[in-house]
Amino acid sequence: MTEQEMFYGASSDIFQKARELRENMTESERLLWNQLKQNQLLGLRFKPQHPIGHFIADFYCHQLKLVIEIDGEYHSSMEQKEYDNGRDYEMEELEIVVMRINSEIVLNDPKLVLKSIENKCNELLNGSTL
């Protein structure tokens, strides 16, 4: 696998911003990362704050082409929702599946979130995206 395939041509600026975001994860991102790191979920490798083109995904599993986005209060504005929809569309054009999860749910019911991610991963592993 080449870097082009995994990062979709991300610039050095995007890589630098991703490093900064990894060093300053939100509480909900840190909580989820503790459950995803070291291939804990179905043996899949997730990467935090992963550059994809001109975007940075909160979490990315290249094997499944799955992005997991943790959406806080900031994502509830109409302007941000429109941006997120456009971003999701661009990801889908790259055949990447985007899963959005509210940060409050991550904080309040992490087991439910992990089960939901596990279900999505199993769907993708089995070739179904229903």
Side-chain angles (χ1 to χ4, degrees):
M1 152 182 31
T2 67
E3 278 198 16
Q4 179 67 24
E5 292 170 330
M6 193 160 168
F7 300 107
Y8 302 89
S11 69
S12 60
D13 289 343
I14 294 293
F15 276 91
Q16 178 58 39
K17 180 68 175 163
R19 264 189 296 283
E20 292 169 13
L21 290 171
R22 274 192 299 278
E23 293 169 4
N24 297 292
M25 284 187 185
T26 65
E27 184 181 354
S28 54
E29 289 170 342
R30 276 192 306 276
L31 182 65
L32 185 55
W33 177 235
N34 284 331
Q35 301 301 310
L36 296 176
K37 67 183 176 183
Q38 300 173 328
N39 306 358
Q40 293 179 76
L41 183 68
L42 303 173
L44 297 167
R45 181 176 184 207
F46 284 87
K47 297 190 77 175
Q49 305 303 332
H50 183 80
I52 297 176
H54 56 276
F55 301 115
I56 300 170
D58 288 342
F59 300 98
Y60 180 61
C61 176
H62 185 69
Q63 179 183 345
L64 297 178
K65 293 183 86 171
L66 173 64
V67 163
I68 300 171
E69 289 294 320
I70 307 301
D71 292 345
E73 185 67 31
Y74 174 76
H75 292 269
S76 62
S77 75
M78 185 55 71
E79 183 178 299
Q80 188 61 40
K81 284 181 182 182
E82 288 175 10
Y83 174 83
D84 289 344
N85 287 339
R87 182 177 186 226
D88 291 355
Y89 177 79
E90 287 189 49
M91 294 281 186
E92 290 166 7
E93 288 292 300
L94 297 171
E95 298 180 357
I96 295 173
V97 174
V98 178
M99 184 176 188
R100 290 193 168 276
I101 302 169
N102 183 284
S103 65
E104 289 299 313
I105 297 171
V106 174
L107 295 172
N108 294 324
D109 198 348
K111 287 182 182 179
L112 175 69
V113 169
L114 208 54
K115 187 64 180 167
S116 178
I117 294 170
E118 182 179 349
N119 289 342
K120 176 55 80 177
C121 290
N122 278 321
E123 287 176 13
L124 295 170
L125 285 167
N126 294 321
S128 170
T129 55
L130 297 177

